[in-house]
């Protein structure tokens, strides 16, 4: 019984020791002490109680101390509790210190909390980045389209990373500068002969204002000749004018056909009146003969005149050349 009691007691002690070392990071405290970072053991316990993993704070603190940076433990913990990446902020501070870039912990933490990669920003500040713009189409004054692409060399501006515009704004502004330069050229040949005029115009506009970058250079990578937009517009205009003229001609033809139909109707109406008038002639002659206003010889002379007129018309029609009305 005594042996079982000793074994049970030893088991309990073992469990307590295991729980003690699991809750209290003694190994981490020894590592910090060996690295010259003096952190009270109770502080590590308090981190556990605040649900802060001590390793995520102590290891970055060790790196900062070894790099000669003065970073306070409570500020690292506060940044972690705010949702920041402590390790990345410390790496950015070390990189900036080695490169001679002035970067405080507060600014680095603000950049990190703003959603930007502060370490990448420091790297871009040390080693400038090249941004490739998509192909930009623009038309010169002579109507020829040019297709241009540019490479923009930028360096991160640490002071403007918070609130500054990103790469998309740089690309949009450079594209606008390319379109403006090509559009103001009298001939596309001027741009092909001196593509550096695009770079000069773009750089003079100060396109990096309000952005998180500083533009170092704008280099035109390629300029190709596209479509003859001016000729295409003229063709389209000519086609539109042709359709308008055809529509007007069709309108005039329709009006002429309508007028012809109206004239034919008038002719038929006049013929009807003529027939009606001719029908009144025999009645008038009979009435004149009955009243004695027209003699028999006068009537025969009138018939002879009509016959003579008919003969003359027949002779004139026979004398006309064939095909002539």
């Amino acid at each position: 019984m005594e042996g079982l009691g000793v074994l049970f007691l030893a088991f309990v002690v073992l469990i307590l020791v295991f729980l003690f070392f699991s809750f209290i990071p003694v190994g981490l405290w020894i590592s910090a002490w060996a690295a010259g970072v003096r952190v009270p053991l109770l502080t590590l316990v308090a981190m556990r109680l605040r649900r802060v993993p001590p390793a995520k704070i102590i290891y970055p603190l060790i790196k900062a101390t070894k790099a000669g940076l003065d970073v306070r433990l409570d500020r690292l913990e506060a940044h972690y509790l705010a949702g920041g990446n402590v390790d990345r902020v410390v790496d950015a501070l070390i990189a900036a210190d080695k490169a001679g870039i002035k970067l405080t912990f507060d600014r680095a933490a603000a950049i990190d909390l703003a959603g930007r990669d502060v370490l990448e920003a420091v790297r871009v500040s040390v080693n400038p980045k090249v941004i490739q713009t998509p192909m930009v189409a623009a038309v010169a004054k002579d109507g020829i389209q040019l297709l241009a692409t540019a490479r923009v060399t930028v360096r991160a501006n640490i002071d403007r990373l918070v609130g500054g515009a990103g790469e998309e704004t740089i690309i949009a502004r450079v594209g606008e500068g390319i379109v403006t330069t090509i559009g103001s050229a009298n001939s596309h040949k001027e741009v092909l002969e001196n593509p550096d005029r695009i770079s000069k115009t773009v750089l003079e506009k100060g396109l990096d204002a309000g952005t998180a970058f500083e533009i170092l250079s704008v280099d035109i990578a390629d300029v190709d000749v596209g479509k003859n937009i001016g000729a295409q517009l003229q063709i389209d205009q000519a086609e539109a004018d042709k359709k308008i003229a055809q529509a007007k001609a069709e309108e005039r033809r329709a009006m002429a056909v309508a007028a012809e139909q109206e004239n034919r109707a008038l002719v038929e109406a006049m013929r009807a009146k003529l027939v009606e008038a001719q029908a009144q002639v025999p009645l008038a002659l009979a009435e004149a003969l009955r009243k004695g206003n027209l003699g028999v010889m006068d009537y025969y002379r009138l018939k002879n005149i009509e016959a003579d007129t008919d003969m003359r018309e027949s002779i004139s029609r026979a004398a006309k050349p064939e095909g002539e009305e």
Side-chain angles (χ1 to χ4, degrees), residues 104-118:
T104 63
F105 177 82
D106 290 339
R107 181 165 293 276
I111 294 171
D112 184 63
L113 292 176
R116 295 185 181 272
D117 191 337
V118 61

Side-chain angles (χ1 to χ4, degrees), residues 140-201:
K141 290 183 178 180
D142 59 357
I144 304 299
Q145 182 188 55
L146 294 179
L147 307 174
T149 57
R151 291 189 178 95
V152 186
T153 304
V154 297
R155 180 172 58 197
N157 191 326
I158 301 296
D159 295 333
R160 291 201 301 241
L161 276 176
V162 178
E167 294 183 12
E168 293 80 5
T169 302
I170 294 291
I171 293 175
R173 290 181 179 180
V174 171
E176 178 186 354
I178 293 174
V179 172
T180 301
T181 304
I182 295 177
S184 61
N186 293 322
S187 172
H188 71 285
K189 296 180 180 179
E190 298 179 3
V191 181
L192 294 176
E193 292 173 357
N194 300 298
D196 58 333
R197 66 183 293 176
I198 300 178
S199 303
K200 293 178 181 178
T201 303

Side-chain angles (χ1 to χ4, degrees), residues 20-135:
F20 175 80
F21 282 101
S22 297
F23 188 77
I24 301 176
V26 178
L28 185 61
W29 175 75
I30 294 174
S31 298
W33 182 82
V37 178
R38 300 294 183 261
V39 180
L41 191 60
L42 292 177
T43 301
L44 301 179
V45 175
M47 287 184 185
R48 290 281 193 187
L49 296 175
R50 289 192 292 268
R51 299 183 180 276
V52 176
K56 290 186 176 293
I57 305 298
I58 298 303
Y59 286 132
L61 181 61
I62 292 174
K63 285 194 295 184
T65 303
K66 288 297 183 182
L69 300 179
D70 184 16
V71 180
R72 291 166 49 187
L73 179 64
D74 56 342
R75 303 184 73 182
L76 293 177
E77 187 177 357
H79 184 63
Y80 176 84
L81 291 173
N85 190 321
V86 176
D87 196 60
R88 187 165 53 195
V89 169
V90 171
D91 288 342
L93 290 173
I94 295 173
D97 181 69
K98 300 303 180 184
I101 299 174
K102 185 179 179 181
L103 178 63
T104 63
F105 177 82
D106 290 339
R107 181 165 293 276
I111 294 171
D112 184 63
L113 292 176
R116 295 185 181 272
D117 191 337
V118 61
L119 180 58
E120 180 65 20
V122 173
R123 290 173 179 170
V124 174
S125 182
V126 176
N127 185 21
K129 179 181 181 180
V130 177
I131 301 174
Q132 178 79 28
T133 65
M135 185 170 291

